[in-house]
Every structure is written in C-alpha cells, then in structure tokens.
Amino acid sequence: MNVTPLIDVLLVLIIIFMVIVAESKEKGLEAQIPQPSSDTVSPIVRTIVIQLAEPKSGDLPILRINQQELAWPDLKAKLQDIFKQRAERVAFVQGDDNVDFEYVADVIDTARDAGVARVGLLPKEMAAVR
C-alpha cells in the first residue's frame, strides 16, 4: 500500500484545522484597569516614630509622635488610639544623645502596655534618611 498520498491529505487537514482554530479564537481578555480616585485623601503615615528630644528646662525630655508634640501622661492613650485600627503594630523609638536611657525604656514599656507588638530603636542617622 502506498502511504505517500495519505500523508499529503493529512498535512492538508492539519493546516485546515490550524486555520479554523486560529480564526475562532477570541482576541483576548477584556481587562478592567483601576482608575485613580477623584478624592484626594492624604496617605496614612504607616511608620510610627516616638521621638525623645533634649529637655529645655532640665525636666522630662520633649516627647513627639511623628513630629507632633505630646505630653507624657497622654502617651499611652495616644498610642492606643493610633494602633486601635492597625494590623501592623510596630513603633520605633528615637532618642537624642543627651536623653537618659531611663526615659527611652519608659517609652518602650508604655508602648508595650498600649498594645504595640514590636518596638524598635531608631538611630539618629536614620532620621535624615527618612
């Protein structure tokens, strides 16, 4: 039996099926690209930095949370308010060179009591980088 004419028929059928499949295939998927919102909402500050600055009068160091000055008795309530709705419970403590570590340890202890899971120490050089 001569198989050569059957191979020619088979090749023609393969080409016909390839053309039919290529023609019936959809052009692609319709993508919906998210559009920028028209509301101008300021981005939420994710990194919480508790800063201890050198005291002016020799009393307690000046306390700030992300450059916003705060009284020492209000620290725990403010941290609880900040971390009330956050899933990420991380804060950083940064103290000036002249601030005693006693105050830094007090801030860390207060932050842990307020519900902060991880408290890190931020060196002075990192403030210029941010």
Side-chain angles (χ1 to χ4, degrees):
M1 183 172 176
N2 194 358
V3 198
T4 306
L6 292 176
I7 292 177
D8 289 341
V9 171
L10 183 64
L11 289 175
V12 169
L13 287 174
I14 289 176
I15 291 173
I16 290 172
F17 285 131
M18 285 175 49
V19 169
I20 290 173
V21 169
E23 292 291 324
S24 67
K25 193 170 188 181
E26 293 181 18
K27 298 293 181 191
L29 299 175
E30 186 177 324
Q32 294 182 353
I33 301 171
Q35 301 296 321
S37 65
S38 60
D39 299 335
T40 55
V41 178
S42 62
I44 298 172
V45 178
R46 294 186 54 90
T47 306
I48 301 297
V49 179
I50 305 167
Q51 299 169 325
L52 297 168
E54 186 177 350
K56 296 177 182 174
S57 63
D59 198 25
L60 292 172
I62 298 170
L63 183 64
R64 293 187 188 109
I65 296 180
N66 288 354
Q67 303 296 330
Q68 186 178 16
E69 204 160 316
L70 183 72
W72 277 89
D74 301 332
L75 177 63
K76 184 175 180 180
K78 179 70 173 176
L79 287 175
Q80 285 174 340
D81 186 45
I82 290 172
F83 290 103
K84 185 180 353 180
Q85 297 177 355
R86 288 180 177 234
E88 182 181 88
R89 297 183 177 274
V90 178
F92 294 98
V93 178
Q94 180 183 40
D96 284 349
D97 293 335
N98 297 335
V99 174
D100 290 336
F101 190 75
E102 165 191 2
Y103 299 112
V104 175
D106 188 35
V107 167
I108 292 171
D109 187 43
T110 305
R112 297 289 293 188
D113 285 344
V116 179
R118 294 187 332 198
V119 180
L121 296 178
L122 190 66
K124 191 71 170 172
E125 294 84 30
M126 292 300 290
V129 173
R130 289 189 305 127

